[in-house]
Amino acid sequence: MTELTDEKAAQQRQAAIAGNPMQVVQVGLDDGYAYTKVALPDGRLVSVPSRARIGAAGVTWIRDVEQRIFEYETAGTVYSVGAVDGEPTQFDEYPGSALNRVIVQHALQEAGLSGRSLHMVTGLPVAAFYRGDGQQRRQAIQTKRDGLKLTVEPVVAKKSSTRPALKASIAFHEVIPEALAAWYDYVIVTLDDGVTLDADRLNAPVAIVDIGGRTTDYVVVQNQGVVHGSSGSLNRGMLDVKLRVANLIQERFDLHELGEQIISRAVDTNRLRLHGKDHDVSDMVMNAKRELVERLYAETRRKLGLGVELDRVLFVGGGSAALSSDIADWFPNQTIADHAAFANARGMLKYLQFVCDDSSKER
C-alpha cells in the first residue's frame, strides 16, 4: 500500500489509475475540514489540504511542472485550490458548498482520476448525519449526495501542456457517517485472496474515536447497531490548534494578521519564519495541543466512561496520529489505526465495494 503525502501526491499527480479509461473507478473519499483523503482500489492513498479561495490564482508559472495552485470553475465562479491561503472551512454548510466541491475535484485530479467516471462514498460528521434520537438527517445527506455531482471544470488544466483538461465525473455518490466508515474499515479485512468479515470484530462492542480537523466524532457499535447514547460529534479538532497558535503568534510578535499557510507550517514544524529569520514557537504549539487534549479527554470520558464494557477503543483520523503521545494511555484496550488519517477513506471504499449493491449504484 502506498501512502502519498501532499508533496508526494504533487510529484505523482500525472499518475492515472491503471485499467480501461472507460471503466468506472471506485473511490472512498473523506472530505474533511482540514484534509481531503482519497482511497483507491489499487491501494493508493492520497491526501491534499482542504484549502481553496474564491478567485483566480494571479500567478504565471515559469515551469508547468512547478505549478502549485490550480483553478477550477463551478456555478460560474472560479476558485484557486492548492498552495493558497484558504478560506475557513469550519462552517456547518461546508459539506454541501462550492468550496468543498472544488477541493474534492482537486483531490481527484491529484489522484490521477482526470477524465474518469467515478462511483464514490463520502461521509458526514456523526451529528450531521444522525439526529439525537438516531433518525437520519435526510435533507443534509441528500444535499451532500447531490452537491458533489455538480460540474466542476479544471480551468488551469486547459492552459497547461502537462495536465489533461478533463474533469472527474461522479456517477454514483453515497454518504455514510464518518466514524462509522472507520468501523467498516475495521471489520472488513482484506486478504491476499480477497476480503472477509472478521466475525469477532463484527459482533464485539467497539468504540471509534475520530479526531479530525473541525470535529471529533464518536461511534459505539454493539451487535452491529449504533449506540446513539454514546455516539455523536464534538466541534473540536486540530484546526482549533491552528487558530490558538495564530492568536498566540499575533500576541507575541504584535502582528495584525498572518497568512493561513504560514500558521499551518508553524504548527507542523514548531518554527515561524518572519523577515527571513526562524523563531521557535514550540511552546505555543504545545500549549494549544494541551488545551485541545484536555477538552477531548473530558468529552471522551463523558461519552465512553472508562470503556470497561468495550472490547476495543479505536482511534482514527489525522488528529489521532498527531496527538498519539498525548492520548496514549486513555484506555487499556485502545489502539490507533494504521495510517489513522485514512481509516475513514479506506472504510468508505470498502463500504462501496462490499456493502453497496449494484441496484443502488444504478439509481
Side-chain angles (χ1 to χ4, degrees):
M1 179 175 294
T2 302
E3 179 176 344
L4 298 181
T5 64
D6 181 35
E7 290 75 15
K8 291 177 182 176
Q11 294 169 2
Q12 300 184 24
R13 63 170 60 97
Q14 293 302 317
I17 193 165
N20 183 349
M22 300 301 293
Q23 184 177 356
V24 172
V25 179
Q26 296 176 319
V27 177
L29 186 137
D30 180 13
D31 50 334
Y33 296 88
Y35 286 89
T36 297
K37 287 83 66 178
V38 178
L40 297 172
D42 62 8
R44 286 190 298 135
L45 302 170
V46 178
S47 173
V48 302
S50 298
R51 183 178 287 153
R53 64 171 172 78
I54 296 175
V59 177
T60 299
W61 301 95
I62 297 173
R63 299 175 65 230
D64 282 345
V65 294
E66 300 297 334
Q67 183 175 342
R68 299 179 61 202
I69 304 175
F70 302 88
E71 296 172 2
Y72 298 89
E73 181 175 345
T74 184
T77 301
V78 173
Y79 290 78
S80 296
V81 187
V84 298
D85 286 329
E87 297 182 19
T89 58
Q90 305 99 302
F91 56 98
D92 290 343
E93 294 79 14
Y94 172 72
S97 68
L99 194 66
N100 171 273
R101 200 154 59 240
V102 295
I103 291 171
V104 166
Q105 179 67 215
H106 180 62
L108 297 173
Q109 295 287 325
E110 293 293 279
L113 298 174
S114 175
R116 302 301 294 262
S117 180
L118 311 177
H119 286 178
M120 187 163 75
V121 170
T122 68
L124 281 170
V126 174
F129 191 93
Y130 289 118
R131 301 183 189 280
D133 60 3
Q135 294 187 55
Q136 295 185 6
R137 298 181 185 273
R138 297 190 181 281
Q139 183 172 350
I141 296 168
Q142 193 62 45
T143 298
K144 175 70 181 284
R145 186 180 292 146
D146 294 341
L148 287 182
K149 288 185 176 181
L150 298 178
T151 295
V152 180
E153 293 284 352
V155 177
V156 168
K158 296 176 181 176
K159 306 173 184 176
S160 170
S161 60
T162 62
R163 236 186 138 173
L166 302 174
K167 66 183 177 184
S169 302
I170 301 167
F172 169 80
H173 177 205
E174 186 57 278
V175 181
I176 62 176
E178 288 176 350
L180 189 60
W183 179 79
Y184 284 108
D185 180 53
Y186 180 66
V187 301
I188 301 175
V189 180
T190 303
L191 305 173
D192 291 339
D193 57 349
V195 298
T196 186
L197 277 174
D198 187 311
D200 292 336
R201 294 181 179 184
L202 190 65
N203 295 310
V206 174
I208 307 293
V209 182
D210 177 11
I211 304 176
R214 183 197 184 200
T215 64
T216 294
D217 279 7
Y218 300 86
V219 161
V220 172
V221 182
Q222 185 171 15
N223 297 323
Q224 303 185 47
V226 176
V227 182
H228 289 284
S230 300
S231 304
S233 302
L234 172 71
N235 279 336
R236 291 289 187 280
M238 295 305 295
L239 291 176
D240 290 283
V241 173
K242 190 165 71 173
L243 179 60
R244 181 61 175 146
V245 170
N247 291 335
L248 291 171
I249 286 174
Q250 289 179 22
E251 181 180 339
R252 177 180 294 182
F253 296 96
D254 193 24
L255 298 171
H256 179 63
E257 63 180 357
L258 272 178
E260 179 259 337
Q261 292 183 88
I262 292 179
I263 298 298
S264 292
R265 196 175 306 118
V267 172
D268 292 340
T269 66
N270 291 319
R271 310 292 295 178
L272 175 68
R273 191 166 184 83
L274 298 174
H275 299 119
K277 181 180 178 181
D278 284 335
H279 301 268
D280 184 353
V281 294
S282 57
D283 60 331
M284 300 182 193
V285 176
M286 182 178 64
N287 290 337
K289 285 184 176 179
R290 183 186 303 120
E291 291 176 8
L292 174 63
V293 168
E294 289 177 357
R295 184 69 181 86
L296 296 182
Y297 180 80
E299 182 67 8
T300 302
R301 282 285 180 253
R302 192 177 75 81
K303 290 286 189 187
L304 308 181
L306 297 175
V308 294
E309 298 181 10
L310 297 168
D311 272 23
R312 179 78 61 186
V313 179
L314 183 64
F315 285 87
V316 303
S320 295
L323 302 174
S324 58
S325 60
D326 301 282
I327 63 176
D329 58 353
W330 285 10
F331 300 94
N333 53 341
Q334 71 178 56
T335 304
I336 297 179
D338 292 338
H339 304 288
F342 290 94
N344 279 337
R346 285 193 310 254
M348 291 165 185
L349 178 61
K350 290 178 180 178
Y351 182 89
L352 175 62
Q353 293 176 313
F354 308 117
V355 179
C356 291
D357 58 31
D358 291 339
S359 60
S360 66
K361 295 173 186 173
E362 293 172 355
R363 70 172 181 255

